[in-house]
Amino acid sequence: MKQSPRKTAEKLPAARWFYISFSGESDFLGAAFVQARTKPAAIRRARFLGIHPGRAVTDILCLPIPPKDLYRVPPKMRNRLLNEDETRSLGGKRVGE
């Protein structure tokens, strides 16, 4: 028996914001804040928005952002690829810093 779209939608988690960091072999390729329901969906959303750096990516870090911390990310810095300086201005750090 097929479920109605309403019942299927009720089972999906609510959309939330994710931080995605893209890196290559030895360098930072960019980061993004995107809204999605799951981590895999957040990465797909980055591709859909055209902000995924592509084949140069060898590692992706994708973390949910607690709603209480979202105020730290200005709306103009969401749904686009951020460079290292922009990411650092929001408190981003390299591994080991």
Side-chain angles (χ1 to χ4, degrees):
M1 178 157 58
K2 195 172 182 180
Q3 289 186 341
S4 72
R6 176 179 277 159
K7 288 190 178 192
T8 303
E10 289 172 2
K11 293 181 181 181
L12 294 174
R16 56 198 290 183
W17 286 92
F18 288 87
Y19 167 78
I20 307 173
S21 176
F22 303 101
S23 60
E25 288 293 324
S26 62
D27 54 344
F28 175 79
L29 300 174
F33 294 92
V34 299
Q35 195 171 26
R37 295 185 187 277
T38 64
K39 287 181 181 185
I43 296 165
R44 285 192 306 272
R45 177 86 175 138
R47 282 197 170 106
F48 175 79
L49 293 170
I51 58 177
H52 188 290
R55 293 181 183 255
V57 174
T58 58
D59 192 28
I60 297 175
L61 173 68
C62 185
L63 302 170
I65 301 172
K68 67 179 180 65
D69 292 333
L70 189 58
Y71 76 93
R72 296 177 181 179
V73 183
K76 67 179 183 174
M77 295 183 106
R78 300 175 191 174
N79 293 316
R80 69 179 187 87
L81 190 64
L82 304 174
N83 62 35
E84 187 170 357
D85 291 337
E86 292 171 315
T87 304
R88 285 181 175 273
S89 76
L90 296 171
K93 298 180 179 178
R94 286 185 176 266
V95 174
E97 286 185 354

